Amino acid sequence: MARATSSVDPSPPAPVMSPHQRTPNFIIFGEMGVGKSSLVNLIAGDQLAKSSSGAESCTLQSTEYPVTFSDPRLNVNLFDTVGLDSPTMNNAGYLDALVKAHELIVSLRNRGGVHGLLFCMKAGRVSTTVQQNYRLFFEFLCQEQVPLALVITNLENEDNMDDWWTKNKAHIENSGIVPVTHVCITTIKGYQNAYEARYFESRKKVLNMLRELGGSDACSEDVSSWFLRMCKKLRQFLVPAKGLGRSRQKMLQMLTKRCKLRKEDAVQLLQKIDADEEKLVS
């Protein structure tokens, strides 16, 4: 997992937090091209993250960006995470995604858990892939236990950015996406800073939202049970062909070599996945 840092001063006032409270951790996710890297830079107030072409990225691959401020109580860790770009994946994609899921889970567990999900999406209709991303992160990775905030981007040309939510809330919720909060923003300043005022308005909105979400308890659990759930859910939900078949040996190698599991633990995990798949078939 890559890691980068930034240190800037934000505009919102500092919240009252315990001196022993850990830095809040947030997962940023969504389809390629929705502005996840731009959202990181908006929060950091600096060009911290570079936009990815996606050519060498795989689902659940993440880059950690610790963003620090002059007041340490405002610090956040952002995990810019690759989401799904299609509703299904093949066996190779599944195995790669599991490796990245394990890295993400271990990193979050080591940092005390996750405080919030930032679901980044462009203004528009909700596609099947958008719905799958919501389920992958909110339902499967976090078991609906982590507050999810919807970040609607690409609204710089709206007369009033917040009006987009009023007009589209019903469509979003009818698509099965129910956030605890939302922000309607732009992540660009535009040509000759045409959208600069809306850019800084957007930054203030996002920082205020992070401050509120970061004040809650983090969600965390045992790495092995967390990872087992992701293995099973990814397989059942995203891989069309049932059963591990010929990929079983590859999966065993992946678990032991790339995820560093003991062989006996990897075998036990595969047996649990097989047992669940037999239940589905019967």
Side-chain angles (χ1 to χ4, degrees):
M1 174 182 293
R3 199 169 188 264
T5 61
S6 175
S7 179
V8 293
D9 284 322
S11 52
V16 178
M17 300 168 68
S18 165
H20 302 294
Q21 184 170 347
R22 291 193 179 190
T23 299
N25 302 306
F26 297 96
I27 298 174
I28 299 176
F29 71 99
E31 294 177 88
M32 184 177 68
V34 296
K36 297 189 298 294
S37 297
S38 296
L39 178 60
V40 171
N41 294 334
L42 178 78
I43 294 168
D46 194 8
Q47 294 301 305
L48 189 61
K50 295 181 180 179
S51 297
S52 172
S53 65
E56 297 180 357
S57 300
C58 71
T59 301
L60 292 169
Q61 179 176 332
S62 60
T63 302
E64 181 185 355
Y65 296 100
V67 180
T68 59
F69 301 101
S70 58
D71 186 338
R73 294 174 296 176
L74 295 170
N75 295 348
V76 292
N77 294 324
L78 306 175
F79 292 81
D80 183 1
T81 308
V82 178
L84 295 165
D85 282 316
S86 64
T88 60
M89 61 175 59
N90 58 26
N91 280 331
Y94 169 67
L95 295 179
D96 286 338
L98 286 186
V99 174
K100 299 306 178 182
H102 190 263
E103 292 177 0
L104 177 61
I105 289 167
V106 170
S107 293
L108 289 169
R109 183 68 179 83
N110 289 343
R111 285 157 182 74
V114 58
H115 292 76
L117 294 168
L118 307 183
F119 188 8
C120 193
M121 61 177 286
K122 280 187 177 180
R125 307 301 290 176
V126 175
S127 66
T128 300
T129 304
V130 168
Q131 292 173 307
Q132 299 287 64
N133 271 299
Y134 175 81
R135 296 198 66 189
L136 172 63
F137 286 86
F138 182 61
E139 294 183 18
F140 301 163
L141 182 63
C142 296
Q143 284 193 301
E144 302 183 16
Q145 299 301 307
V146 176
L148 181 137
L150 195 59
V151 181
I152 311 296
T153 66
N154 209 36
L155 291 171
E156 55 275 357
N157 290 312
E158 294 287 321
D159 291 335
N160 184 324
M161 292 188 291
D162 290 331
D163 284 348
W164 188 93
W165 179 254
T166 304
K167 297 174 184 176
N168 293 275
K169 176 182 178 181
H171 169 63
I172 296 293
E173 294 182 348
N174 289 338
S175 300
I177 300 171
V178 185
V180 297
T181 188
H182 70 277
V183 286
C184 296
I185 66 168
T186 181
T187 58
I188 63 171
K189 293 182 180 179
Y191 178 66
Q192 294 184 337
N193 292 325
Y195 308 124
E196 185 176 51
R198 293 188 175 189
Y199 174 89
F200 286 113
E201 175 192 344
S202 298
R203 184 167 187 256
K204 183 177 180 180
K205 288 180 183 178
V206 175
L207 290 176
N208 283 334
M209 179 182 68
L210 293 181
R211 193 171 71 248
E212 292 177 6
L213 293 174
S216 60
D217 293 333
C219 177
S220 184
E221 61 180 280
D222 176 70
V223 169
S224 59
S225 59
W226 201 346
F227 185 54
L228 172 61
R229 181 175 70 250
M230 283 301 292
C231 288
K232 293 190 292 187
K233 290 295 186 179
L234 276 174
R235 189 78 196 180
Q236 295 168 6
F237 190 58
L238 298 172
V239 184
K242 294 238 195 299
L244 292 173
R246 294 180 180 177
S247 67
R248 183 186 178 88
Q249 187 58 34
K250 289 184 178 179
M251 188 169 181
L252 181 61
Q253 293 175 352
M254 178 274 295
L255 292 171
T256 54
K257 293 182 179 180
R258 298 176 66 183
C259 295
K260 309 299 183 185
L261 298 186
R262 296 183 306 171
K263 186 174 181 179
E264 53 267 37
D265 293 336
V267 170
Q268 185 179 36
L269 185 146
L270 289 175
Q271 289 172 343
K272 290 179 179 179
I273 295 175
D274 283 342
D276 279 2
E277 290 186 342
E278 288 175 3
K279 290 179 183 178
L280 288 175
V281 172
S282 59

